[in-house]
Amino acid sequence: MGKSRLHRLCFSFLSLTSSFWRCPLSKRTLIFATVCVLYLVFMVSYVGYSQQHRDRRTDTHKYRHTRGLETSNGAFSYSADLQTGASPVVPTRSNVVYITLRFKRMKPANIRGTIRPKLRRKVRKNKTATSAFTQDRFSTLERDVAQNKRNEKETGDVDYKSLHTIPKSPNNEVGEESEISSIRIYSQQAPQWLSLQDVKAMRFLADAKVWRIREVFREDAPSLLMFEGETREQPPGNRSHAARGSVCTGQCGVINSPVDNSEVFAFHLDRVLGLNRTLPAVSRIFTFLHDGQPCPVVSWDASLYPEGLAAGWTTVRLTWGGYQRSLKQRCWHKNISPKPDSGCSTIHHHEWSKLALFDFLLQIHSRLDQSCCGFKPRQEDQCVVLGHHADCVNQDHIQLANIIHRGHDPRRLVLTNNKGFFDRNEDNLDFRLLEGITELPEQAVSVLRSRRLREKLIQSLFLDQTYWESQGGRQGIDKLIDVIERRANVLLTYINAHGIRVVPVDV
């Protein structure tokens, strides 16, 4: 429409040009002014039409992006129009919700000098150790049983349930596995009551890679479930097959049942009191044993078996009557050799006082009172189940049990199998454990009197993270220490009432 008007004006302009210059000046001025006015009117009308057309396209574009959105009055305008069949109405500015669309982020340009992060390779834990036991354990055990029977016939050595749990890589190295130690020592050094050897043994028992697990049978004694760990001095790759017949070719630990978790508490109590007569023990989780429950692991000490595992450990055979007579003799006191007919054993006199104090706090009756003559046992206690409680009629002939010493050190006791009882009330404590004791070690009693037993036990038990968490954290540990503190108060009262001397012990 605009173009046709333009053509007409151009034609009229050309036709009038010939006669334009023949007209007078006044007429030419009028004609020129008329043409300018018409041109101005044309431009105004053309610009107005273009602006109106552009506004329509803009409103249509906005309506496409806002239909289906909820308006300010809570209704969906476009959805309602579709349901009623009516034509959609363009919403006004008052009830339109405007949204901002976030465009896809473009990849930035490769700027010169930009430092790109290095690609980190994920370290995959080698789970062959677990699968070797869980998936193929039955076939492995069958092969081991057959091999062990042949070994037992040839050498007399028992190697039952021997399992290799750490595989070798193609480079003949042990599979890598990065683990965080469960022994928490955040200061520069461990507590002063723990020696450097104790810390090393705890770290080995808690963190060492398990190379082999085996169950070792003993004559007239429960079997031992042992694990052999990798050490820097003797890695698994350097061990010969001929060494498999021995009990432990490197550094080992004995895995106990989860119900014997008091072994760990007993170890820390022994060190806090300054007795130093127990073997290092920690709590550790083996995913392929006991359904992943924390198990107490005790350090293996070959010096307890100087003649081999088959011969058993070096024990002292004493009856209750002989034990009471040796206390009166004060055997080996001041390094004086006893007379041959005195009835003394190889144990130093002060060792019995350490044993009595330690067993009383934990109420361990399996050594000095295995027949449960000093308290009222429960029907499920071992002494009642095995019928030992009936032997209390003749107490002098009752044998002491688990009195052990190292082969090269017959004067000092080694306290093993420290299964304590925390559920025994103060009115049913076994005071038979203190019978005949007239002296107690000064260092241990001073800790009980200083009222710092709780502080030291918490500081010591905190090192073993697995045991700490298995007992319920600080709340559970406090309950165990509450029991020991109440028994310590009873013991201090007993010391004052019976005039027991507190003496320094140098053994």
Side-chain angles (χ1 to χ4, degrees):
M1 181 176 179
K3 292 182 179 181
S4 60
R5 290 181 180 179
L6 180 62
H7 291 308
R8 291 176 184 178
L9 291 174
C10 292
F11 180 77
S12 302
F13 179 77
L14 292 175
S15 60
L16 292 175
T17 304
S18 57
S19 59
F20 177 75
W21 299 102
R22 293 194 295 264
C23 295
L25 181 60
S26 59
K27 289 184 179 181
R28 282 185 291 175
T29 302
L30 180 61
I31 293 172
F32 185 79
T34 303
V35 171
C36 291
V37 170
L38 292 176
Y39 179 77
L40 182 60
V41 172
F42 167 75
M43 292 300 298
V44 172
S45 62
Y46 182 79
V47 172
Y49 175 79
S50 300
Q51 183 66 28
Q52 184 180 5
H53 183 66
R54 189 180 298 107
D55 292 339
R56 287 184 179 180
R57 287 191 300 174
T58 303
D59 294 339
T60 304
H61 181 70
K62 290 182 180 179
Y63 175 71
R64 290 177 180 176
H65 285 277
T66 55
R67 60 181 178 179
L69 297 175
E70 187 177 1
T71 59
S72 59
N73 56 5
F76 291 88
S77 60
Y78 183 59
S79 301
D81 292 338
L82 290 179
Q83 294 177 1
T84 57
S87 60
V89 181
V90 179
T92 61
R93 295 179 181 269
S94 61
N95 60 355
V96 175
V97 178
Y98 292 94
I99 60 175
T100 302
L101 299 178
R102 182 175 296 178
F103 295 92
K104 184 178 179 180
R105 186 175 183 179
M106 303 301 293
K107 184 177 180 181
N110 186 9
I111 305 176
R112 186 177 181 181
T114 303
I115 300 177
R116 296 183 179 180
K118 297 181 180 180
L119 298 178
R120 296 182 179 179
R121 298 177 60 184
K122 295 183 178 180
V123 180
R124 297 182 179 180
K125 292 186 177 182
N126 200 337
K127 296 184 179 180
T128 311
T130 302
S131 60
F133 188 89
T134 56
Q135 297 180 2
D136 302 331
R137 55 183 173 181
F138 296 107
S139 59
T140 305
L141 292 180
E142 291 176 358
R143 293 194 304 268
D144 289 338
V145 170
Q147 180 65 28
N148 294 330
K149 289 182 178 179
R150 292 193 296 269
N151 293 339
E152 188 175 358
K153 291 180 180 180
E154 295 174 0
T155 63
D157 187 20
V158 180
D159 184 11
Y160 180 66
K161 293 183 180 179
S162 177
L163 299 175
H164 296 270
T165 58
I166 291 187
K168 298 177 182 178
S169 63
N171 297 329
N172 197 23
E173 296 177 355
V174 179
E176 297 181 359
E177 183 177 0
S178 59
E179 295 181 354
I180 301 176
S181 176
S182 61
I183 303 302
R184 303 179 290 190
I185 301 179
Y186 299 138
S187 58
Q188 296 181 355
Q189 59 183 3
Q192 59 182 0
W193 50 84
L194 294 176
S195 64
L196 182 60
Q197 290 75 15
D198 291 336
V199 176
K200 288 183 178 180
M202 292 172 62
R203 290 194 182 278
F204 167 79
L205 296 174
D207 306 325
K209 295 180 180 179
V210 179
W211 178 62
R212 180 173 61 177
I213 291 182
R214 55 190 305 193
E215 184 174 2
V216 183
F217 289 101
R218 300 180 296 171
E219 296 180 0
D220 301 330
S223 60
L224 297 177
L225 184 61
M226 300 177 56
F227 82 90
E228 187 170 354
E230 176 195 1
T231 57
R232 296 181 179 179
E233 292 78 8
Q234 192 177 13
N238 297 334
R239 292 169 183 162
S240 61
H241 295 279
R244 293 181 182 177
S246 59
V247 177
C248 180
T249 58
Q251 192 171 359
C252 301
V254 180
I255 305 174
N256 293 338
S257 174
V259 298
D260 299 332
N261 55 12
S262 57
E263 284 277 0
V264 181
F265 190 96
F267 162 68
H268 289 276
L269 178 63
D270 168 73
R271 294 302 192 266
V272 167
L273 296 178
L275 304 178
N276 301 324
R277 290 297 179 266
T278 62
L279 300 175
V282 301
S283 186
R284 180 167 178 170
I285 296 177
F286 298 90
T287 57
F288 44 82
L289 289 176
H290 304 293
D291 298 329
Q293 298 181 19
C295 304
V297 183
V298 184
S299 180
W300 165 259
D301 191 348
S303 63
L304 299 178
Y305 306 89
E307 298 180 2
L309 190 62
W313 47 36
T314 53
T315 60
V316 176
R317 298 185 179 276
L318 272 178
T319 61
W320 176 257
Y323 166 64
Q324 292 296 319
R325 287 189 293 270
S326 66
L327 292 178
K328 296 178 181 180
Q329 292 289 336
R330 300 173 62 86
C331 303
W332 304 101
H333 183 58
K334 296 181 179 180
N335 294 326
I336 299 176
S337 299
K339 297 179 180 180
D341 57 348
S342 62
C344 288
S345 63
T346 60
I347 305 300
H348 194 279
H349 174 70
H350 288 159
E351 292 295 294
W352 300 114
S353 61
K354 292 183 178 182
L355 172 62
L357 183 146
F358 182 74
D359 283 2
F360 181 81
L361 293 177
L362 292 173
Q363 286 296 293
I364 301 174
H365 61 270
S366 59
R367 282 185 276 259
L368 299 177
D369 190 15
Q370 64 171 341
S371 299
C372 306
C373 300
F375 65 101
K376 297 178 181 179
R378 299 170 299 182
Q379 294 297 323
E380 60 269 19
D381 287 340
Q382 196 73 6
C383 58
V384 178
V385 174
L386 298 179
H388 294 164
H389 189 59
D391 299 337
C392 295
V393 178
N394 190 0
Q395 299 184 11
D396 289 343
H397 294 81
I398 297 177
Q399 291 285 338
L400 305 186
N402 199 22
I403 308 299
I404 305 170
H405 62 83
R406 293 181 174 87
H408 64 277
D409 191 3
R411 300 288 181 266
R412 294 185 177 93
L413 290 173
V414 178
L415 306 182
T416 62
N417 298 334
N418 302 309
K419 183 179 180 180
F421 294 88
F422 292 87
D423 56 349
R424 193 172 297 167
N425 298 327
E426 282 71 25
D427 56 352
N428 193 28
L429 295 179
D430 191 356
F431 284 94
R432 181 180 171 87
L433 304 175
L434 301 174
E435 188 172 339
I437 299 297
T438 58
E439 298 174 345
L440 286 176
E442 180 182 15
Q443 182 177 357
V445 176
S446 63
V447 174
L448 301 180
R449 287 175 174 173
S450 65
R451 307 299 179 182
R452 295 187 60 190
L453 178 62
R454 176 182 296 273
E455 174 187 346
K456 293 184 176 182
L457 281 176
I458 289 177
Q459 185 179 357
S460 188
L461 292 170
F462 180 78
L463 302 181
D464 193 340
Q465 182 178 3
T466 303
Y467 179 78
W468 182 276
E469 295 177 352
S470 67
Q471 300 302 313
R474 175 64 182 269
Q475 184 177 3
I477 296 296
D478 279 335
K479 292 181 180 179
L480 298 179
I481 300 178
D482 288 342
V483 176
I484 301 300
E485 280 190 335
R486 290 194 295 267
R487 294 175 182 175
N489 293 331
V490 174
L491 178 60
L492 294 176
T493 303
Y494 183 89
I495 293 174
N496 296 331
H498 291 78
I500 296 178
R501 294 180 299 168
V502 178
V503 297
V505 176
D506 298 331
V507 181

